[in-house]
Amino acid sequence: MDGIREPLCRTMSNMEPLRIAMIIGSTRPNRIGPGFAQWAHEMAQGRDDMSVDLLDLVDFDLPLLNEPAPAGGGEYTTPHAKKWSRTIAQYDGFVFVTPEYNSSMPASLKNAIDYLHSEWADKSAGIISYGGTGGVRSAHALRLVLGQLSLATVRATVSLTLREDMKDGVAAPRPHQDRLVTELLDSVGNWGRGMRFVRGEKN
């Protein structure tokens, strides 16, 4: 077994750094998601195993799904869907930053996910949720959706509460949350490298 494991470990350690997208899931005016996302994004800087880009759904202006064909066929006709497809396809994994709205994820995030199909498949994903009780129900709902798209969601999670991880209306996560973000990114990276092999990629 060791003779098999050692070459595999060497191969995975020599991989190109992963490309990870951290996606802000809320598009509501005056949302607090960008503050939490920027905090987590800063924690990701300086890592040599991955590069992390911050993507804001507001910048993609995705209307309620208006593609005539199901996403599974990959036959996009609208400029916004084609742009979104090109953007997501280039990443090895994702970190979703989502609030909890009525015990689930915001419609903006579900809509953005539903626009695509194969672009998500066989990649890794982590979830940073926030809300009155840490957004745990939103994270649970999101896991179900991501699993349907063959995304490997990692067990490590970050749950931020509005009472304890904000101050004067501004994101101010407690110190222990820094460690949880690092653990989340580590897991997304580990699974992301493994999923590269699932997709048949060598680098």
Side-chain angles (χ1 to χ4, degrees):
M1 179 65 70
D2 289 341
I4 297 174
R5 183 182 302 162
E6 186 175 346
L8 177 60
C9 290
R10 283 202 302 268
T11 299
M12 294 183 71
S13 65
N14 290 333
M15 281 185 168
E16 292 294 324
L18 296 169
R19 292 202 65 188
I20 304 297
M22 187 172 288
I23 299 174
I24 302 173
S26 172
T27 59
R28 183 181 62 82
N30 299 324
R31 65 218 159 111
I32 58 176
F36 287 133
Q38 289 164 7
W39 157 73
H41 185 249
E42 289 176 4
M43 299 252 338
Q45 301 309 297
R47 295 182 66 113
D48 57 9
D49 62 333
M50 64 177 66
S51 62
V52 180
D53 296 332
L54 195 56
L55 303 184
D56 192 338
L57 291 185
V58 167
D59 297 331
F60 291 88
D61 196 21
L62 296 169
L64 188 62
L65 185 56
N66 64 348
E67 279 291 317
E75 298 176 356
Y76 308 118
T77 61
T78 58
H80 51 268
K82 292 178 180 179
K83 177 184 177 182
W84 184 232
S85 172
R86 289 192 303 270
T87 299
I88 294 303
Q90 65 185 313
Y91 291 104
D92 299 295
F94 309 94
V95 174
F96 295 91
V97 182
T98 179
E100 181 177 312
Y101 292 169
N102 298 316
S103 298
S104 189
M105 74 191 85
S108 53
L109 179 55
K110 181 62 163 59
N111 184 56
I113 292 171
D114 287 345
Y115 257 95
L116 310 177
H117 192 272
S118 63
E119 295 87 347
W120 301 114
D122 299 328
K123 298 177 180 180
S124 62
I127 300 171
I128 297 174
S129 62
Y130 60 95
T133 56
V136 293
R137 290 169 294 191
S138 174
H140 176 69
L142 181 54
R143 283 182 187 278
L144 295 177
V145 173
L146 299 181
Q148 186 65 26
L149 290 164
S150 298
L151 271 158
T153 56
V154 302
R155 183 177 182 180
T157 59
V158 179
S159 299
L160 303 160
T161 66
L162 303 185
R163 174 176 293 183
E164 298 176 302
D165 294 303
M166 290 186 63
K167 185 176 182 180
D168 299 326
V170 177
R174 290 164 288 171
H176 78 277
Q177 300 284 18
D178 290 0
R179 172 179 56 81
L180 297 180
V181 170
T182 298
E183 292 176 358
L184 176 71
L185 292 171
D186 288 345
S187 294
V188 170
N190 290 336
W191 278 92
R193 284 183 287 276
M195 297 306 282
R196 272 183 171 176
F197 280 91
V198 172
R199 298 197 305 275
E201 299 178 14
K202 303 302 182 183
N203 295 314

